[in-house]
CSV table of all heavy atoms in Angstrom, one decimal:
chain,number,residue,atom,x,y,z
A,12,VAL,N,-18.4,21.3,-60.4
A,12,VAL,CA,-19.8,21.0,-60.1
A,12,VAL,C,-20.5,20.6,-61.3
A,12,VAL,O,-20.9,21.4,-62.2
A,12,VAL,CB,-20.5,22.3,-59.5
A,12,VAL,CG1,-21.9,22.0,-59.1
A,12,VAL,CG2,-19.7,22.8,-58.3
A,13,PRO,N,-20.7,19.3,-61.6
A,13,PRO,CA,-21.5,18.8,-62.7
A,13,PRO,C,-22.9,19.1,-62.5
A,13,PRO,O,-23.4,18.9,-61.4
A,13,PRO,CB,-21.2,17.3,-62.8
A,13,PRO,CG,-20.9,16.9,-61.3
A,13,PRO,CD,-20.2,18.1,-60.7
A,14,ALA,N,-23.6,19.5,-63.5
A,14,ALA,CA,-25.0,19.9,-63.3
A,14,ALA,C,-25.9,19.5,-64.6
A,14,ALA,O,-25.5,19.8,-65.7
A,14,ALA,CB,-25.1,21.4,-63.1
A,15,TYR,N,-27.0,19.0,-64.3
A,15,TYR,CA,-28.0,18.7,-65.4
A,15,TYR,C,-29.4,19.0,-64.8
A,15,TYR,O,-29.8,18.4,-63.8
A,15,TYR,CB,-27.9,17.2,-65.8
A,15,TYR,CG,-29.0,17.0,-66.8
A,15,TYR,CD1,-28.9,17.4,-68.2
A,15,TYR,CD2,-30.2,16.3,-66.5
A,15,TYR,CE1,-29.9,17.2,-69.1
A,15,TYR,CE2,-31.2,16.1,-67.4
A,15,TYR,CZ,-31.0,16.6,-68.7
A,15,TYR,OH,-32.0,16.4,-69.6
A,17,ALA,N,-30.5,21.4,-63.0
A,17,ALA,CA,-30.2,21.5,-61.6
A,17,ALA,C,-30.8,22.8,-61.0
A,17,ALA,O,-30.4,23.3,-59.9
A,17,ALA,CB,-28.7,21.5,-61.3
A,19,ARG,N,-33.3,23.7,-59.4
A,19,ARG,CA,-33.9,23.7,-58.1
A,19,ARG,C,-33.0,23.9,-56.9
A,19,ARG,O,-33.3,24.6,-56.0
A,19,ARG,CB,-34.7,22.3,-57.9
A,19,ARG,CG,-35.5,22.3,-56.6
A,19,ARG,CD,-36.3,21.0,-56.6
A,19,ARG,NE,-37.1,20.9,-55.4
A,19,ARG,CZ,-37.7,19.8,-55.0
A,19,ARG,NH1,-37.6,18.7,-55.7
A,19,ARG,NH2,-38.4,19.8,-53.9
A,20,PHE,N,-31.8,23.3,-57.0
A,20,PHE,CA,-30.8,23.4,-55.8
A,20,PHE,C,-29.5,24.0,-56.2
A,20,PHE,O,-28.7,24.2,-55.3
A,20,PHE,CB,-30.6,22.0,-55.3
A,20,PHE,CG,-31.8,21.3,-54.8
A,20,PHE,CD1,-32.3,20.1,-55.5
A,20,PHE,CD2,-32.5,21.7,-53.8
A,20,PHE,CE1,-33.4,19.5,-55.1
A,20,PHE,CE2,-33.7,21.1,-53.3
A,20,PHE,CZ,-34.1,19.9,-54.0
A,21,LEU,N,-29.2,24.3,-57.4
A,21,LEU,CA,-27.9,24.8,-57.8
A,21,LEU,C,-27.5,26.1,-57.1
A,21,LEU,O,-26.4,26.3,-56.7
A,21,LEU,CB,-27.8,25.0,-59.3
A,21,LEU,CG,-26.5,25.5,-59.9
A,21,LEU,CD1,-25.3,24.6,-59.5
A,21,LEU,CD2,-26.6,25.7,-61.4
A,22,GLY,N,-28.5,27.0,-57.0
A,22,GLY,CA,-28.1,28.3,-56.3
A,22,GLY,C,-27.6,28.1,-54.9
A,22,GLY,O,-26.6,28.7,-54.5
A,23,ASP,N,-28.3,27.2,-54.1
A,23,ASP,CA,-27.9,27.0,-52.7
A,23,ASP,C,-26.5,26.3,-52.7
A,23,ASP,O,-25.6,26.6,-51.9
A,23,ASP,CB,-28.9,26.1,-52.0
A,23,ASP,CG,-30.2,26.8,-51.7
A,23,ASP,OD1,-30.2,28.0,-51.8
A,23,ASP,OD2,-31.2,26.1,-51.5
A,24,ALA,N,-26.3,25.3,-53.7
A,24,ALA,CA,-25.0,24.6,-53.7
A,24,ALA,C,-23.9,25.6,-54.0
A,24,ALA,O,-22.8,25.6,-53.3
A,24,ALA,CB,-25.1,23.5,-54.8
A,25,LEU,N,-24.0,26.5,-55.0
A,25,LEU,CA,-23.0,27.4,-55.3
A,25,LEU,C,-22.7,28.4,-54.2
A,25,LEU,O,-21.6,28.8,-54.0
A,25,LEU,CB,-23.3,28.2,-56.6
A,25,LEU,CG,-23.3,27.3,-57.9
A,25,LEU,CD1,-23.7,28.2,-59.1
A,25,LEU,CD2,-21.9,26.8,-58.1
A,91,PHE,N,-17.9,18.5,-56.2
A,91,PHE,CA,-19.1,18.8,-55.4
A,91,PHE,C,-20.3,18.8,-56.3
A,91,PHE,O,-20.3,19.1,-57.4
A,91,PHE,CB,-19.0,20.2,-54.7
A,91,PHE,CG,-17.9,20.3,-53.7
A,91,PHE,CD1,-17.4,21.5,-53.2
A,91,PHE,CD2,-17.2,19.2,-53.2
A,91,PHE,CE1,-16.4,21.6,-52.3
A,91,PHE,CE2,-16.2,19.3,-52.2
A,91,PHE,CZ,-15.8,20.5,-51.8
A,92,HIS,N,-21.5,18.4,-55.7
A,92,HIS,CA,-22.7,18.2,-56.5
A,92,HIS,C,-23.6,19.4,-56.4
A,92,HIS,O,-23.6,20.2,-55.5
A,92,HIS,CB,-23.4,16.9,-56.0
A,92,HIS,CG,-22.8,15.7,-56.5
A,92,HIS,ND1,-23.4,14.4,-56.3
A,92,HIS,CD2,-21.7,15.4,-57.2
A,92,HIS,CE1,-22.7,13.5,-56.9
A,92,HIS,NE2,-21.6,14.1,-57.4
A,93,ALA,N,-24.4,19.5,-57.5
A,93,ALA,CA,-25.2,20.7,-57.7
A,93,ALA,C,-26.5,20.7,-56.8
A,93,ALA,O,-27.2,21.6,-56.8
A,93,ALA,CB,-25.7,20.8,-59.1
A,94,ASP,N,-26.7,19.6,-56.1
A,94,ASP,CA,-27.9,19.5,-55.2
A,94,ASP,C,-27.5,19.3,-53.7
A,94,ASP,O,-28.4,19.1,-52.9
A,94,ASP,CB,-28.8,18.4,-55.6
A,94,ASP,CG,-28.1,17.1,-55.8
A,94,ASP,OD1,-26.9,17.0,-55.5
A,94,ASP,OD2,-28.8,16.1,-56.2
A,95,ASP,N,-26.3,19.5,-53.4
A,95,ASP,CA,-25.8,19.3,-52.0
A,95,ASP,C,-25.3,20.7,-51.5
A,95,ASP,O,-25.2,21.6,-52.2
A,95,ASP,CB,-24.7,18.3,-51.9
A,95,ASP,CG,-25.1,16.9,-52.3
A,95,ASP,OD1,-26.3,16.6,-52.1
A,95,ASP,OD2,-24.3,16.2,-52.9
A,97,TYR,N,-22.5,22.6,-48.6
A,97,TYR,CA,-21.2,22.3,-48.1
A,97,TYR,C,-20.8,23.3,-46.9
A,97,TYR,O,-21.1,24.5,-47.0
A,97,TYR,CB,-20.1,22.5,-49.2
A,97,TYR,CG,-20.3,21.4,-50.2
A,97,TYR,CD1,-21.2,21.5,-51.3
A,97,TYR,CD2,-19.7,20.1,-50.1
A,97,TYR,CE1,-21.5,20.5,-52.2
A,97,TYR,CE2,-20.0,19.1,-51.0
A,97,TYR,CZ,-20.8,19.3,-52.0
A,97,TYR,OH,-21.1,18.3,-52.9
A,216,ARG,N,-28.0,15.7,-50.0
A,216,ARG,CA,-29.5,15.8,-50.1
A,216,ARG,C,-30.0,14.5,-50.7
A,216,ARG,O,-29.6,14.0,-51.7
A,216,ARG,CB,-29.8,17.0,-51.1
A,216,ARG,CG,-31.3,17.4,-50.9
A,216,ARG,CD,-31.6,18.5,-51.9
A,216,ARG,NE,-30.7,19.7,-51.8
A,216,ARG,CZ,-31.0,20.7,-51.0
A,216,ARG,NH1,-32.0,20.7,-50.2
A,216,ARG,NH2,-30.1,21.7,-51.0
Side-chain angles (χ1 to χ4, degrees):
V12 182
Y15 176 78
R19 187 177 179 191
F20 301 114
L21 179 59
D23 290 343
L25 289 180
F91 293 167
H92 280 188
D94 51 3
D95 297 326
Y97 293 88
R216 197 183 305 271

